[in-house]
């Protein structure tokens, strides 16, 4: 039995799992147990040869994984989930949670294989939901709950270990979980069974039909519906080469990440940087306010550095190294050939599936639906935004020459100059502005605002449940329109030593009436922790992150889907219209650019007690929106490049560098630098295969969110409009295609007008002063 189970697990992990402290150099170290004693912990999932290697090849070797000893009887974490207890056992040790989750994933893999074999043996029998789906759904619910609660533990309360080991353990458990979930979709017997169910539709609810439709679309988009051996072998060959060249591309980028760093020792160089930026750049985390600071060649480090570093020479050096990463400046790590190989193989894969281009394949099930729609959207934005960008470039150059550099403006300056010019133009000091946004006061204002618009209630139930840290608060969320309890929201807002990552919302479990469980969502933040002398205050960048993360959490809570796969559109699945997934988070993020809403979110200044006036709120909103133009225009450029390179039906029409050079001439009024080969390290386009042709989605989400804001403004009844948005769009989650849901809310397709007005605001005249003054509505 053990051999049969183990053989069905299919190479669960390629690398072992380890529990180590930072100082440990061996494969084992001690961790503190819940009872206060220490115990030796080791790599508990190992692949060992059970026999001595024979002198000659006489057959095959089967290497079995060591199955963790965790069971429901000896593991409190597993017991808690198996017994359908109301709240997760967060006090379980890291080892119990990790190894227990691995054990259950292995068991689920065995269950899946047994069920798929059963479907194959019983082919021809009448299929029902109970015979096809139910044998997997119950265990899948538990697996999702275990995995996402483990994820909460790993991100917020994990033993001290090296970042490399932590990333490896997190990566392995993610890959293992994804593999076990996707196994069924690659099996012909499962495909035939659900296709039969979907075709007959007997006794199925709308949610069940939508889930089956989602599976069928994912199977088709990945080639799982192809049954002839020749096509399947061809698809397998394309996939192998895609994986190979994608891995080479990422490896080259990562290999060049550590080749250059940029250090700052003078605090005046980073005098404008908010605390969270200084903390991210600090060499010594305990001395983040005094330095020194160092930027690395990663997006999370280099872009804040470019935005806040006052030393022009340092910025220029960092930018020149950034745009030449993994390119012709690095013979061994040059990604040029990998880009062309990737293009060749993803194009071959898409055409084998019957699509004319990669873009057509990727967009087939998205809200945009086709490359033509995205092209029309981008062209409309370019027509409105490019003249604004050209005019603003002149203003940036004049400002820079007058105030900062005394020389010709270069692309390396724009991250810094765009921000500084906007702040000075409207006389806004972001470091003072942030003192109007202490975390918990801002949270209460945000909850009150969202509750008013969507008729919700958030009741603090913190004292009734177990938490991983005293800073955590828990809220019971209800829909006052129907009187229904929607679920509970676990909020862990502050940064601390054993927290990793950034802002995140995690759907731990959906509601299960059969189990007596409500929905549970985890919200993780990384705001600065309060001190006895100072509350935690939010910089406007962190405020936007809070709004977006809270928006995602509310989106999950409002979805009435009983199945996780269609709770919201999940990235990066082919069958999911996840270009619309950020509509609601972006809708809340846009509160920052609306003076009345920004004022509603604010609190009295933590030092002076003064309230944020209407004029200050208007100036702040205008300054923040003005400072986004450079980054948004860059996004527009990259979205155009992304679509252009993947919508070609014949990739040999243009070499990637020729396309990049041509588009650069169209978009920017300066010559491309000789060492500018940014596509060689632009992982959002070439690093993730499902993301190819999808770079437009940030601007697309802004279009949808601003279009919704315009409807709120036009109807002038936020409660009524909010209720309609909730019932027609948010409650359905991914229960229908996003395009149809949006039409139900608006009565029409999305309009590009609102986003164009955002980046190219109309001017209103103030008769009293005869001076043109833009006003943010």
């Amino acid at each position: 039995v053990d051999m049969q189970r183990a053989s069905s697990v299919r190479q669960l992990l390629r690398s072992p799992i380890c529990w180590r402290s930072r100082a440990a150099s061996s494969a084992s170290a001690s961790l503190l147990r819940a009872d206060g004693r220490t115990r030796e912990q080791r790599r508990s999932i190992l692949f060992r040869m059970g026999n001595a290697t024979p002198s000659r090849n006489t057959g095959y070797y089967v290497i079995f994984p060591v199955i963790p000893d965790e069971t429901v009887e000896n593991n409190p974490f597993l017991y808690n989930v198996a017994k359908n207890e109301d709240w997760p056992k967060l006090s379980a040790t890291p080892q119990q949670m990790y190894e227990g989750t691995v054990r259950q994933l292995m068991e689920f893999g065995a269950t899946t294989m047994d069920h798929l074999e059963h479907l194959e043996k019983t082919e021809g029998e009448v299929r029902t939901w109970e015979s096809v789906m139910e044998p997997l759904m119950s265990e899948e619910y538990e697996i999702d709950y275990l995995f996402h609660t483990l994820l909460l533990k790993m991100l917020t309360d994990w033993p001290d270990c090296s970042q490399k080991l932590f990333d490896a353990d997190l990566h392995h458990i993610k890959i293992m979980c994804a593999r076990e979930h996707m196994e069924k979709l690659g099996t012909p017997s499962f495909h035939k069974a659900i296709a039969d169910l979907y075709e007959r539709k007997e006794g199925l609810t709308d949610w069940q039909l939508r889930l089956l439709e989602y599976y069928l679309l994912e199977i088709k988009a990945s080639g799982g519906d192809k049954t002839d051996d020749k096509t399947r072998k061809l698809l397998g060959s394309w996939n192998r080469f895609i994986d190979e060249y994608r891995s080479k591309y990422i490896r080259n980028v990562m290999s060049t990440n550590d080749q250059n760093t940029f250090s700052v020792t003078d605090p005046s160089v980073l005098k404008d940087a908010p605390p969270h930026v200084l903390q991210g750049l600090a060499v010594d985390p305990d001395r983040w306010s005094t330095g020194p600071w160092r930027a690395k060649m990663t997006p999370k480090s280099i872009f804040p550095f470019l935005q806040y570093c006052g030393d022009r020479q340092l910025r220029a050096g960092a930018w020149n190294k950034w745009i030449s990463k993994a390119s012709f400046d690095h013979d061994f790590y040059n990604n040029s050939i990998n880009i062309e190989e990737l293009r060749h193989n993803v194009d071959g894969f898409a055409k084998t599936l019957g699509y004319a281009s990669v873009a057509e394949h990727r967009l087939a099930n998205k809200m945009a639906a086709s490359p033509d729609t995205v092209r029309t959207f981008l062209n409309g934005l370019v027509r409105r935004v490019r003249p604004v960008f050209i005019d603003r470039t002149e203003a940036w150059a004049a400002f820079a020459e007058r105030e900062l550099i005394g020389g010709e403006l270069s692309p390396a300056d724009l991250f810094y100059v765009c921000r500084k010019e906007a702040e000075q133009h409207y006389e806004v000091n972001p470091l003072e502005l942030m003192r109007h946004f202490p975390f918990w006061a801002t949270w209460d204002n945000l909850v009150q605002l969202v509750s008013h618009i969507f008729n919700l209630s958030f009741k603090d139930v913190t004292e009734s449940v177990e938490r991983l840290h005293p800073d955590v608060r828990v809220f019971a969320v209800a829909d006052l329109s129907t009187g229904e309890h929607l679920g509970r929201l676990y909020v862990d807002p502050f940064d601390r030593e054993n927290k990793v990552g950034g802002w995140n919302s995690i759907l731990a479990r959906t509601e299960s009436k059969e189990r007596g469980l409500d929905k549970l969502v985890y919200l993780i933040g990384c705001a600065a922790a309060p001190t006895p002398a100072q509350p935690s205050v939010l910089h406007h960048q962190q405020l936007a992150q809070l709004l977006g993360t809270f928006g995602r959490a509310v989106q999950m809570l409002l979805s009435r889907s009983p199945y996780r796969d269609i709770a919201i559109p999940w990235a990066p699945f082919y069958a999911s219209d996840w270009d619309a997934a950020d509509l609601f988070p972006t809708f809340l993020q846009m509160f920052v650019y609306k003076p009345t809403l920004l004022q509603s979110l604010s609190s009295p200044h933590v030092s002076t007690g003064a309230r944020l006036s209407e004029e200050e709120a208007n100036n702040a909103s205008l300054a923040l929106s003005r400072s986004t133009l450079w980054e948004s225009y860059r996004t527009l450029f990259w979205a155009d490049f992304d679509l252009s390179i993947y919508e070609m039906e014949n990739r040999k029409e243009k070499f990637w560098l020729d396309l990049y050079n041509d588009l650069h001439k169209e978009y920017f009024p300066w010559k491309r630098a000789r060492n500018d080969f940014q596509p060689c390290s632009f992982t959002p386009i070439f690093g993730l295969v499902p993301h190819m042709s999808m770079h437009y989605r940030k601007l697309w989400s802004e279009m949808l969110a601003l279009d919704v804001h315009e409807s709120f403004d036009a109807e002038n009844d936020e409660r009524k409009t909010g209720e309609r948005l909730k019932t027609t769009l948010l409650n359905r989650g991914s229960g229908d295609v996003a395009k149809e849901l949006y039409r139900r809310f608006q009565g029409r397709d999305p309009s590009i007008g609102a986003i164009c007005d955002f980046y190219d605001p109309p001017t209103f005249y103030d008769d009293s002063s005869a001076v043109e003054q833009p006003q943010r509505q």
Side-chain angles (χ1 to χ4, degrees):
V1 176
D2 287 340
M3 183 178 295
Q4 187 177 21
R5 176 192 298 164
S7 63
S8 70
V9 176
R10 303 164 319 282
Q11 296 182 353
L12 291 170
L13 295 174
R14 296 258 179 213
S15 300
I17 293 169
C18 174
W19 310 90
R20 288 197 285 193
S21 68
R22 291 188 193 277
S25 58
S26 62
S28 64
S30 63
L31 277 177
L32 193 63
R33 294 178 59 182
D35 58 9
R37 292 177 295 156
T38 59
R39 62 174 294 175
E40 288 295 315
Q41 299 196 359
R42 57 178 174 80
R43 292 179 179 268
S44 53
I45 304 174
L46 299 175
F47 296 89
R48 302 192 185 101
M49 292 295 294
N51 310 71
T53 304
S55 57
R56 61 188 180 86
N57 293 334
T58 57
Y60 294 99
Y61 299 99
V62 180
I63 304 175
F64 298 118
V66 174
I67 301 177
D69 296 329
E70 310 298 316
T71 64
V72 171
E73 290 73 22
N74 65 21
N75 187 306
F77 183 52
L78 297 183
Y79 180 88
N80 170 275
V81 174
K83 295 300 181 181
N84 296 321
E85 294 184 358
D86 178 66
W87 192 254
K89 190 70 173 177
L90 300 178
S91 60
T93 67
Q95 184 184 24
Q96 289 171 334
M97 295 183 76
Y98 198 104
E99 294 190 359
T101 302
V102 168
R103 171 61 181 262
Q104 291 304 105
L105 281 168
M106 297 171 79
E107 295 286 357
F108 177 61
T111 298
T112 301
M113 293 299 291
D114 288 344
H115 182 60
L116 296 176
E117 290 174 4
H118 173 74
L119 290 178
E120 188 173 359
K121 291 176 182 177
T122 58
E123 186 174 345
E125 294 184 5
V126 177
R127 302 301 190 184
T128 63
W129 180 268
E130 290 71 23
S131 66
V132 175
M133 297 300 297
E134 286 298 340
L136 299 179
M137 298 298 289
S138 179
E139 274 194 53
E140 196 168 292
Y141 183 92
E142 293 184 359
I143 288 300
D144 286 332
Y145 184 20
L146 288 166
F147 171 72
H148 291 97
T149 302
L150 169 65
L151 203 57
L152 173 72
K153 184 84 168 181
M154 293 189 75
L155 295 177
T156 64
D157 185 35
W158 205 242
D160 188 29
C161 64
S162 74
Q163 188 65 44
K164 184 177 180 180
L165 286 173
F166 177 86
D167 290 343
D169 287 347
L170 186 60
H171 172 76
H172 290 317
I173 196 73
K174 282 182 177 180
I175 294 299
M176 184 179 184
C177 188
R179 185 186 298 123
E180 300 303 349
H181 277 72
M182 299 301 292
E183 184 70 32
K184 58 183 179 289
L185 300 186
T187 308
S189 59
F190 183 78
H191 179 210
K192 291 178 183 178
I194 62 174
D196 179 60
L197 267 181
Y198 185 75
E199 184 178 354
R200 290 190 296 107
K201 296 180 172 57
E202 294 177 7
L204 298 179
T205 67
D206 290 342
W207 289 110
Q208 290 171 341
L209 282 171
R210 175 58 180 164
L211 182 62
L212 293 176
E213 181 183 49
Y214 170 78
Y215 285 155
L216 290 170
L217 287 173
E218 188 67 29
I219 290 169
K220 179 182 178 182
S222 56
D225 61 333
K226 305 298 182 183
T227 55
D228 60 291
D229 289 341
K230 182 179 179 181
T231 303
R232 292 185 69 84
K233 287 179 180 178
L234 186 58
L235 289 173
S237 176
W238 291 126
N239 268 324
R240 282 193 299 274
F241 284 114
I242 289 170
D243 289 342
E244 177 184 343
Y245 288 106
R246 173 185 166 274
S247 298
K248 288 181 178 178
Y249 184 94
I250 293 175
R251 182 189 64 203
N252 288 351
V253 173
M254 295 182 67
S255 297
T256 54
N257 278 348
D258 299 327
Q259 290 187 358
N260 296 281
T261 58
F262 306 91
S263 299
V264 175
T265 56
D266 183 359
S268 65
V269 173
L270 293 170
K271 63 181 180 180
D272 295 335
H276 72 279
V277 170
L278 295 177
Q279 290 168 352
L281 297 175
V283 175
D284 182 355
D286 294 331
R287 300 179 56 197
W288 63 266
S289 61
T290 57
W293 303 273
R294 182 172 58 232
K296 303 176 183 178
M297 298 294 283
T298 61
K300 289 184 178 179
S301 181
I302 202 71
F303 286 114
F305 180 78
L306 291 169
Q307 193 174 21
Y308 289 101
C309 176
D311 188 319
R312 191 186 187 206
Q313 187 175 356
L314 273 177
R315 290 200 309 270
W319 181 248
N320 286 333
K321 293 299 182 182
W322 178 256
I323 61 179
S324 61
K325 258 179 53 170
S327 68
F328 298 96
D329 285 2
H330 307 270
D331 292 338
F332 187 72
Y333 299 117
N334 184 4
N335 266 333
S336 178
I337 190 66
N338 292 327
I339 290 176
E340 288 303 298
E341 290 289 357
L342 267 174
R343 291 179 65 194
H344 169 67
N345 286 285
V346 295
D347 184 66
F349 183 81
K351 288 179 178 176
T352 303
L353 293 178
Y355 296 94
S357 66
V358 176
E360 187 178 302
H361 175 228
R362 299 299 189 273
L363 296 170
N365 298 312
K366 302 300 179 284
M367 184 180 182
S370 71
D372 290 341
T373 303
V374 178
R375 177 59 63 194
T376 301
F377 167 65
L378 296 179
N379 288 344
L381 268 183
V382 168
R383 282 194 297 270
R384 281 288 295 271
V385 177
R386 182 179 289 163
V388 180
F389 177 76
I390 299 302
D391 289 344
R392 195 71 57 79
T393 301
E394 296 176 1
W396 290 332
F399 170 82
E401 185 174 3
R402 182 179 67 252
E403 301 288 341
L404 299 173
I405 60 179
E408 185 178 350
L409 191 70
S410 72
D413 297 315
L414 288 180
F415 297 92
Y416 183 82
V417 169
C418 180
R419 175 188 61 83
K420 288 287 289 185
E421 188 269 347
E423 293 168 4
Q424 189 178 102
H425 190 82
Y426 290 103
E427 299 180 349
V428 172
N429 182 350
L431 297 181
E432 277 300 306
L433 178 67
M434 66 188 291
R435 299 179 72 80
H436 284 283
F437 296 94
F439 181 86
W440 282 120
T442 304
W443 171 269
D444 292 339
N445 293 336
L446 173 59
V447 165
Q448 185 176 357
L449 194 57
V450 170
S451 296
H452 169 75
I453 296 172
F454 298 102
N455 203 20
L456 305 174
S457 76
F458 289 76
K459 181 182 178 182
D460 194 323
V461 294
T462 302
E463 299 305 321
S464 63
V465 295
E466 178 186 358
R467 299 166 289 158
L468 287 173
H469 193 274
D471 288 337
V472 172
R473 293 189 187 178
V474 182
F475 299 87
V477 186
D479 186 340
L480 297 180
S481 301
T482 61
E484 295 175 87
H485 171 71
L486 297 177
R488 282 173 288 184
L489 178 62
Y490 178 102
V491 183
D492 188 348
F494 301 129
D495 194 17
R496 54 181 180 269
E497 188 176 354
N498 58 345
K499 283 184 73 172
V500 296
W503 298 79
N504 202 357
S505 288
I506 301 171
L507 177 59
R509 69 189 185 204
T510 57
E511 181 185 16
S512 175
K513 294 180 180 178
E514 297 79 8
R515 297 168 181 266
L517 298 176
D518 63 350
K519 186 178 293 184
L520 181 58
V521 175
Y522 304 136
L523 189 156
I524 302 170
C526 60
T531 65
Q534 167 107 0
S536 173
V537 291
L538 296 170
H539 186 259
H540 65 80
Q541 293 171 341
Q542 294 178 304
L543 176 60
Q545 289 174 312
L546 168 63
L547 292 169
T549 308
F550 179 71
R552 177 74 81 218
V554 172
Q555 181 185 19
M556 293 172 177
L557 286 163
L558 287 175
S559 172
R560 302 303 177 91
S561 169
Y563 307 113
R564 179 185 183 85
D565 286 340
I566 52 174
I568 65 170
W570 298 107
F573 296 102
Y574 293 120
S576 178
D577 40 17
W578 50 277
D579 54 348
D582 290 340
L583 187 160
F584 191 68
T586 307
F587 171 79
L588 291 193
Q589 285 182 319
M590 291 296 167
F591 283 15
V592 172
Y593 308 115
K594 306 284 182 175
T596 55
L597 295 175
L598 183 66
Q599 197 174 18
S600 298
L601 292 171
S602 69
S603 300
H605 193 282
V606 295
S607 299
T608 66
R611 301 211 55 103
L612 190 68
S613 68
E614 290 184 14
E615 182 181 3
E616 290 172 329
N618 188 62
N619 287 339
S621 292
L622 287 166
L624 296 178
S625 62
R626 185 181 179 92
S627 68
T628 65
L629 181 62
W630 168 234
E631 188 55 45
S632 295
Y633 193 71
R634 287 183 70 246
T635 302
L636 182 57
F637 166 79
W638 283 112
D640 196 342
F641 177 82
D642 180 38
L643 183 64
S644 297
I645 204 167
Y646 290 122
E647 70 178 347
M648 293 182 190
E649 295 188 15
N650 179 8
R651 70 168 186 86
K652 294 181 180 179
E653 291 176 13
K654 191 163 285 191
F655 183 54
W656 71 264
L657 183 55
D658 294 332
L659 175 63
Y660 182 67
N661 196 43
D662 291 346
L663 283 178
H664 194 282
K665 291 177 183 177
E666 288 184 27
Y667 274 82
F668 304 116
W670 54 78
K671 290 183 64 175
R672 182 179 68 85
R674 292 182 60 186
N675 66 332
D676 182 357
F677 307 110
Q678 283 194 72
C680 286
S681 60
F682 204 82
T683 53
I685 290 177
F686 297 107
L688 294 171
V689 176
H691 287 241
M692 295 172 177
S693 306
M694 296 293 296
H695 201 72
Y696 73 93
R697 67 189 185 280
K698 174 187 179 292
L699 296 170
W700 185 268
S701 298
E702 290 182 1
M703 175 192 69
L704 299 176
L706 289 165
D707 194 32
V708 171
H709 269 287
E710 193 170 72
S711 295
F712 272 87
D713 294 339
E715 296 174 17
N716 199 28
D717 187 343
E718 65 271 11
R719 296 292 296 271
K720 182 179 178 181
T721 310
E723 187 68 21
R724 189 172 83 250
L725 179 64
K726 180 176 68 176
T727 56
T728 59
L729 198 151
L730 297 173
N731 284 164
R732 289 298 296 171
S734 192
D736 291 289
V737 295
K739 183 185 294 185
E740 177 59 31
L741 293 176
Y742 195 83
R743 285 172 178 164
R744 292 177 195 172
F745 168 69
Q746 292 283 36
R748 57 170 174 78
D749 287 333
S751 168
I752 198 176
I755 187 174
C756 289
D757 288 344
F758 178 79
Y759 288 109
D760 180 20
T763 301
F764 299 88
Y765 290 88
D766 183 346
D767 294 333
S768 63
S769 61
V771 176
E772 296 181 4
Q773 280 292 336
Q775 295 290 325
R776 181 71 63 196
Q777 299 300 310

